[in-house]
Amino acid sequence: MGLVVVLRTAFLFSFIFCVLAQNDVDYSQFVNPFIGSEGAIPGYAYGGGDIFVGGAVPFGMVKLGIDTYEEPINQSALNGGWTPKGKVTGISMLHESGTGGGAKYGYPAQMPLTSIDAPVNLLDNLTYWQTRVGEDFARVGYYRTLFESGVTVELSATRHAGLYQYNFPSGGKHVLVDFSHYIPHPTRAWDSQFYTGGEIDIHPNGSIYTGYTSIANGWNLGPPVTVFVCGEFDETPDEARAFSGKNTFPVGRHFRSFNNESTPQPTFHGSQSRSGPMSDRVGAIFSWNSTSESQIKSRVGVSFVSVEKACAYKNQELSSWDIQQTAQAVRDEWNRDIFSKIRVDTGPSANKTRLALLYSSLYFMHLIPSERIGENPLWESDEPYWDDFYTMWDLFRNQVSLWHLIQPGYYESMIRSLIDMFKHEGFLPDGRSGNYNGLVQGGSNADNVLADAYVKGLRGSINWTEGYAAVKKDAEVLPFWDVNPVDPQGSLKEGRGALDDWIPLGYVSADRNTRAVSKTVEYSLNDFAVSQIAAGEEPGDQELYLRRSAGWQLSWDREATSRNFTGFVMPRYANGSFHKTYDITDCGTCNWEDESYEGTAFEYSFVIPHDVETMIQFMGGPSHFEERLDYVFQPNTSSVDLGANGLGITTINNVANEPDFGTPYLYNYLNKQYKSVERSRQLANDFYFNTSNGIPGNSDAGALNCWLIWQMLGLYPIVTTPVYLLESPWFDDINITVNHNKTLRIRAEGLDDGDGRQGYYVQNVSINGKSWNKNWFEHEDLGIMTEGGEISFLLGTEMKVWETGEVPPSPGHVVLEDGRR
Ligand SMILES: *[C@@H]1O[C@H](CO)[C@@H](O)[C@H](O)[C@H]1NC(C)=O
Ligand SMILES: *[C@@H]1O[C@H](CO)[C@@H](O)[C@H](O)[C@H]1NC(C)=O
Ligand SMILES: *[C@@H]1O[C@H](CO)[C@@H](O)[C@H](O)[C@H]1NC(C)=O
Ligand SMILES: *[C@@H]1O[C@H](CO)[C@@H](O)[C@H](O)[C@H]1NC(C)=O
Ligand SMILES: *[C@@H]1O[C@H](CO)[C@@H](O)[C@H](O)[C@H]1NC(C)=O
Ligand SMILES: *[C@@H]1O[C@H](CO)[C@@H](O)[C@H](O)[C@H]1NC(C)=O
Ligand SMILES: *[C@@H]1O[C@H](CO)[C@@H](O)[C@H](O)[C@H]1NC(C)=O
Ligand SMILES: *[C@@H]1O[C@H](CO)[C@@H](O)[C@H](O)[C@H]1NC(C)=O
Ligand SMILES: *[C@@H]1O[C@H](CO)[C@@H](O)[C@H](O)[C@H]1NC(C)=O
Ligand SMILES: *[C@@H]1O[C@H](CO)[C@@H](O)[C@H](O)[C@H]1NC(C)=O
Ligand SMILES: *[C@@H]1O[C@H](CO)[C@@H](O)[C@H](O)[C@H]1NC(C)=O
Ligand SMILES: *[C@@H]1O[C@H](CO)[C@@H](O)[C@H](O)[C@H]1NC(C)=O
């Protein structure tokens, strides 16, 4: 541990040195921490971003914020903790941001109370939960709210510790520490989290408590996560009592009481309480006798390793107890390490809406995964440790490619951590949270992440021999079935659960597997990714995986017709025949048990980024392809009713979900870049706003936010390849710090797009002063992304075909003879 700390400090120092000069702008002032906190129904979270609201440093282990319960529950989403109108049930240290599915985290918690007399029952949150009054206030690193009880709560957080500041009105003063609190999944028992036990010790003078809580299950059905806690109050309480009580959470079938008994009362035990064999709930209540208005602060450290580490974090990271000073240090870190990596003019004439969209998007794409160096409870290793990859399915599309450019240090650390997971647990994760791999939505998409880093030359301390072994295992070894109730056929924990179809048949069959369409499309890109790393690490393997990457062609039904278009990826059976009556424009619930996951066959037929050339040919050549592409952006073409979850999207293309992220940019492959600009701008303008419902769906760990950043930069990466498409920037001058300390400058002369004006079509482009006739470039072309340089766009209102060079490449181009591999 000592060694790791020293290395990390050195790493931060190098950061401080090189960006000091650029750090005089407080970009954090432009961040709106509520973008995505609300969905389409005003006042409710459902269909919104599911974001975390509270205090956190970039990739912080601790994300301190309120947990709420909002009714009607069918219109809510508790995942991020905060909901617009929800009642507060606790204020907790660990959160996700932007995730769907069964919630994770929401522990360990405190709750300030002004009375603990009947009817309050410390084991029943319904008896003490709090409506908030007035508007919540949040800015980077700081959050404030006012409870109906009159208590003002202020929060800030460091990397491993949280600072709570309570301003009590005159009257009673108590703080409940509830180790059995977590974010529940009230409408679904099987993947809800549940509490499995804990222990709390109150230290002799009553101001310090230590212990642990263990919470199991949640989204990826993980085993219990044990978090060690060390909390302290700045004012010694007059009374501090530990308690326990029967575990009767109604949703978790594990402890369900079927005789409808009312929630029992706690039993008080002096200074110590343990769960014992019945997983009893434990906690403590701290009380202050003075009845005058006063402030009580608490600093709390957490660790996945020990109470000692939790206490050390609390003491070291929050030595000042000062919330304004703590919040300022958090903002400084965000400005230095995150926001200042992309610098635009912030002066009086700058468009403040755009500044909010840019810097808020940067904020939301740096909340998870969680950096947990020195916090791996599972194995000893000198490699870094990260958690909360939730999920690669979201992150691989373009977010990892931006981290590659602007966060090379953090990103290298993540990749080393992923490879270390493979070494110690057998497989790379596709999702990971609570120190546990899962859920796999389609393919093994960490393969795409590793390939993207590899082809762009990320080396550092990454052992690519092992990196290649990791992706090769995904491509070759069928994972053990994890008995997840939503998929009776294959593992959802890790790896590729349908490899026993994929290898012998060349596609995933619809009779032996679920999600055949989307898995076939994803496995194809995964094998292309493997071939990309093989090219450098094991050249003899490259051809094998390149051929496998054409598997989607075997699932292409040349006769399938929909809306007058012919040829689609379709569900295909093991006997070789296609599911002819499959609805190409409607995937039903589009879920785990369906034939296509979160996207129709119509949409997935466009998701072949490694071989767009064959895709265009299969769709009947460039003009048919263009017509079909035009069609998916026409209003009222979708057959899928996204309801309140869809924010009014009626096109087949669903910009709110990851599979379709790249589709608006496909016009570049026709040398009609102006159409990519037109479509993608329109989507961004129609669906992204500086408002609490300003994002079209779950932010997915920031994946949606990152899509917007690329749009604003005027670039789009083709992941697993070194290619970037050229689009149209939203600022006339952007400086980006790439490759640690080099500057990429993007300029847009002639940009004139305020208030509906359309001066954003590209007239011509030059790179490092050289006229550039292609609508794409590669990572190392003219050293642009490695050494820095300048991309200059000349923009105007004319929809111009300015590109005369080759169309973007299809490095995974494979021709199958007679439809065979
Ligand atoms: C939630 O349920 C209520 C009835 O309890 C209904 O009126 C409302 O439309 C539902 N909301 C959604 C988003 O389904
Ligand atoms: C409130 O407590 C009950 C148990 O008394 C629990 O089932 C429920 O999940 C809790 N609600 C929240 C939002 O934490
Ligand atoms: C309580 O004890 C802790 C150490 O256990 C000490 O740091 C703190 O100052 C004490 N507080 C008071 C009010 O005595
Ligand atoms: C408990 O309550 C539920 C719902 O009100 C009811 O269906 C069930 O019969 C009750 N069980 C007992 C043992 O009273
Ligand atoms: C605080 O109040 C409790 C409960 O009324 C009482 O037992 C205790 O003696 C009081 N402590 C002090 C220091 O006044
Ligand atoms: C970008 O960097 C150049 C060169 O240092 C500087 O002249 C320009 O003002 C910068 N632009 C912005 C928006 O930071
Ligand atoms: C990389 O990993 C391989 C396999 O574990 C090992 O043999 C090799 O020594 C490692 N290379 C370095 C530079 O550590
Ligand atoms: C398909 O083409 C036919 C004949 O050109 C036309 O009548 C029909 O409206 C088209 N259908 C759709 C969905 O565009
Ligand atoms: C192929 O398999 C599917 C699904 O089991 C079945 O419906 C179909 O009849 C089979 N076709 C042939 C030609 O055997
Ligand atoms: C789409 O359908 C809605 C509802 O039927 C209708 O109000 C709207 O005018 C249609 N839009 C277009 C462009 O056809
Ligand atoms: C730039 O960053 C690299 C990688 O961290 C480092 O080796 C190099 O010394 C830095 N150069 C300057 C001028 O700071
Ligand atoms: C500022 O940017 C927003 C978002 O792109 C845009 O809607 C608005 O028209 C711009 N305002 C001006 C005055 O350019």
Side-chain angles (χ1 to χ4, degrees), residues 244 462 610 618 756 798:
S244 67
I462 299 168
H610 58 295
F618 278 17
E798 188 191 339

Side-chain angles (χ1 to χ4, degrees), residues 516-569:
V517 169
S518 46
K519 277 183 198 160
T520 296
V521 166
E522 289 188 31
Y523 287 15
S524 297
L525 183 59
N526 295 156
D527 272 340
F528 174 71
V530 177
S531 80
Q532 288 285 74
I533 305 178
E537 295 298 318
E538 199 62 65
D541 285 357
Q542 187 189 359
E543 185 58 26
L544 170 70
Y545 296 113
L546 189 59
R547 293 199 73 77
R548 285 192 191 167
S549 80
W552 66 275
Q553 297 184 26
L554 303 179
S555 218
W556 191 274
D557 183 353
R558 286 160 196 263
E559 289 157 11
T561 298
S562 174
R563 311 284 175 89
N564 285 353
F565 297 105
T566 302
F568 290 91
V569 280

Side-chain angles (χ1 to χ4, degrees), residues 7-28:
L7 285 175
R8 165 132 194 92
T9 311
F11 164 74
L12 276 181
F13 265 119
S14 66
F15 260 115
I16 294 167
F17 267 116
C18 59
V19 296
L20 214 53
Q22 298 155 352
N23 200 25
D24 28 36
V25 180
D26 176 19
Y27 298 99
S28 79

Side-chain angles (χ1 to χ4, degrees), residues 353-399:
T353 305
R354 287 191 187 182
L355 294 179
L357 290 173
L358 174 63
Y359 291 106
S360 305
S361 299
L362 276 167
Y363 175 73
F364 287 114
M365 69 168 280
H366 288 91
L367 286 171
I368 59 172
S370 304
E371 187 213 42
R372 297 215 194 127
I373 291 174
E375 283 293 328
N376 179 359
L378 302 178
W379 63 84
E380 295 276 330
S381 171
D382 292 334
E383 290 300 282
Y385 187 69
W386 289 69
D387 199 357
D388 306 326
F389 291 99
Y390 198 159
T391 64
M392 295 302 176
W393 191 85
D394 305 293
L395 299 172
F396 91 79
R397 316 276 168 172
N398 60 58
Q399 192 160 340

Side-chain angles (χ1 to χ4, degrees), residues 110 162-164 166 209 232-233 296-300 321:
Q110 288 191 356
L163 187 60
Y164 298 77
Y166 306 119
Y209 62 94
E232 181 178 6
F233 296 98
I296 289 167
K297 293 190 215 179
S298 179
R299 52 177 193 171
V300 183
W321 289 89

Side-chain angles (χ1 to χ4, degrees), residues 511 573 575 577:
D511 44 346
Y573 300 119
N575 63 18
S577 65

